[in-house]
Amino acid sequence: MKRILLPLVVTILGVSCAGDDGIPVYRQSGRSVDERVEDLLRRMTLEEKILQLNQYIVGLNTNVNNIGREIEEVPAGIGSVIYFSDNVALRNELQRKAVEETRLGIPVLFGFDVIHGFRTIYPIPLAQGCSWNPSLVETLCRTAAREARLSGTDWTFSPMIDVSRDARWGRVAECYGEDPYCNAVMGVASVRGYQGEDLYLTERIAACAKHYVGYGLSQGGRDYTSTDVSMQSLWDTYLPPYKACVEAGVETVMSAFNDINGVPATANAALLTDILKRRWGHAGFVVSDWNAVEQLVAQGYARDRKEAALRAFTAGVEMDMKDDCYRAYFPELLDEGKITQRQIDEAVSRILRLKFRLGLFERPYTDSLPEAERVLAPEALQAAEQLAGESMVLLKNDGVLPLSGVDDIAVIGPMARDRFHLLGSWRCHGRAEDAQTLYEGLEQEFGSGVSLHYAPGCDFDGSDRSGFARARQLAARCDVVILCLGERAEWSGENASRSTIALPEIQQELVEALSTCGKPLVVVLSNGRPLDLHRMEPLASAMLEIWQPGLRGGSAMAGILSGRVNPSGRLCMTFPRSTGQIPIFYNSRSSARPDQGHYQDISNTPLYEFGYGLSYSKFVYGELSADTDRISAHEPFTVRVDVTNESDVDGYETVHWYVTDPCCSITRPVKELRYFEKRLIPAGATETFTFRVVPERDLAYVDSEGNPLLEAGEFRIGVKDRSLTLNLE
Ligand code: GLC
């Protein structure tokens, strides 16, 4: 009787626990995700639910900044792990325990920091921002997703879209610079590359927009500190990239370490729930940053780990990364009525939904493929080289580049034969041995016709000048000097802030020592932040910023020096004249006295401004024109400009379209990037670039409550050094 009754009763209640063939609904791939989530949730015990809200780690923790108690025994039913290994067999064994040795067989979600490549490492995000090529960024993220998924990683903690204006902060390397629009466009391109249109059983992975929010404002450029930011700035500068990524369907968001105006990001209900979930409708889940829940105690926002768990969870953090607070205290918090079963169910649903969408229930295991079928595909390396070349920025060229008529090249400096530091921070499973050195790139590029002569010159830092003499001798014997300088990979990235953005003295002195050899000096810079180059700038014939370009930076750099590649990178972050100028960025508000208030010792202007970058072509901009001279809030209109390539070298130009609202009830930046387009302009040709302006999108501002603001009056739309004035009625 009982057996017959149960299905009957359950059917009357309108909920079917099992299909006709007895298979539970949550195991039926043909059912909707919501049906499957609802069915599975109903079957779960409290302990099983709480486990889903926790993420532990497996494998050797390669992030030296994240210290703390390791969880020895990872329970089979854990919701997620940060998987530091690329060992598919180990991953499948962990997954087997979850799927075959637990009551409901809920698969584990494997996450990792796939930031600029999985094994095929391409340029750091700050460099990607300088490429102004979102479709290429999307391609590389798709490559990274394929390598990751085929290697057992389902979820990446990327893109990092923290707008930052302080180059002392090591994590500027991970974002797309100082501009909200650039971070939004590149963030969306990354989300699309990782996630594609369908996560289900494809070579795609879930993305994670981080670190929500305002982390780039860390006080003094020091990591993990508090941030003081007005709601106006949050809305007009730091939130827009996240809104764009949520609208693009990013599956997860990571809460930041920083305290925001006295409420840490990881316990900030206004941001995590009111804005992210209620206002923007984010249907995925929030994962805390590493130990960020427990760190609420250190931040003075929770008395103990239990209160930290309560504050983070009720604010809107669904998954607790690493510190075990949720698992340890949720049963008590539930018993005490401080959290509810309903809140737990809602959080668990969001996590289960992603697991169903990824197809983990149908295919929990990763096929074991030979390495050659998983990573380092030739087309991936080619794309990595192309993005490296498009992200490099030619800062100075007195005509020495592209090199020609040289027989002997001196290749000097600590970066010349380095493989490790070229990969930068957050190198995932990248291996130095896969990287091509700058020297090798030059060898390959200039071939047997040119002789290369190498000397280290000096180390990255220290005070050993014993290599100077040899370097000078070499320089004296050669036609040109290529001096490869820069930063160690660990000088940027997490917990890698520096009090000065100048290169170490020893490198500056090597430039000075070589500048008196009477030979052209081409300085190649590999670094993870804007640098103070004011000392070496007058001494160099040319300076090429190659950033940390990944595995194929050598070829890309050599291609630019030979002229095979016409440099097209433009800065997405300002280069100050000195550390003392920080913060300095293009989209600042106007001064009360624009012609005064200057430093007494140096200019107020940066050394290289946002959008700057030289080409071998000569691009000449025509006058702007619009298809109307009267604009209204609801009428899109088009502005256009002709750009002529007055050189004999085909080249890519990026036209940056800026908007200025000279008078508004909330003061606005002197100009705001609102659109850009990169296009090839053949030698001698003229291309017409257009900006289809949708006033409510492109002219509007936002107020301190996040409401759009578009007021009648004058607007200027400009490119380069010219603008068009239009009157919004
Ligand atoms: C780190 C970083 C975060 C990263 C996480 C997992 O502390 O802040 O960006 O995704 O831990 O490694």
Side-chain angles (χ1 to χ4, degrees), residues 55 63 65-66 82 84 112-113 115 157-158 160 171 174 210-211 215 224 254 257 288-290 321 426 494:
Q55 179 182 62
N63 183 338
N65 307 303
N66 285 329
I82 301 181
F84 282 93
F112 197 41
D113 294 286
I115 307 299
F157 308 128
S158 172
M160 193 274 216
R171 306 200 76 165
E174 304 170 47
K210 73 181 186 184
H211 308 77
Y215 189 20
Y224 314 122
M254 183 184 291
F257 287 130
S288 74
D289 202 337
W290 186 295
M321 182 187 287
W426 297 104
E494 182 177 355

Side-chain angles (χ1 to χ4, degrees), residues 125 128-139 141 159-163 175-194 237-248 572 586 610 654-657 673-678 691 697-698:
Q128 296 173 37
C130 296
S131 75
W132 300 98
N133 190 339
S135 66
L136 186 54
V137 167
E138 181 175 340
T139 299
C141 290
M160 193 274 216
I161 48 177
D162 297 319
V163 172
C175 73
Y176 303 97
E178 68 194 41
D179 179 71
Y181 182 73
C182 182
N183 274 279
V185 171
M186 295 299 177
V188 166
S190 301
V191 169
R192 287 184 178 141
Y194 292 134
T237 301
Y238 300 97
L239 285 169
Y242 288 91
K243 185 170 189 281
C245 285
V246 168
E247 287 168 353
C572 70
Y586 91 90
F610 178 89
T654 297
V655 172
H656 291 102
W657 292 91
L673 180 67
R674 287 303 172 95
Y675 180 63
F676 63 83
E677 183 186 353
K678 181 173 192 176
F691 174 18
R697 181 193 64 199
D698 302 317

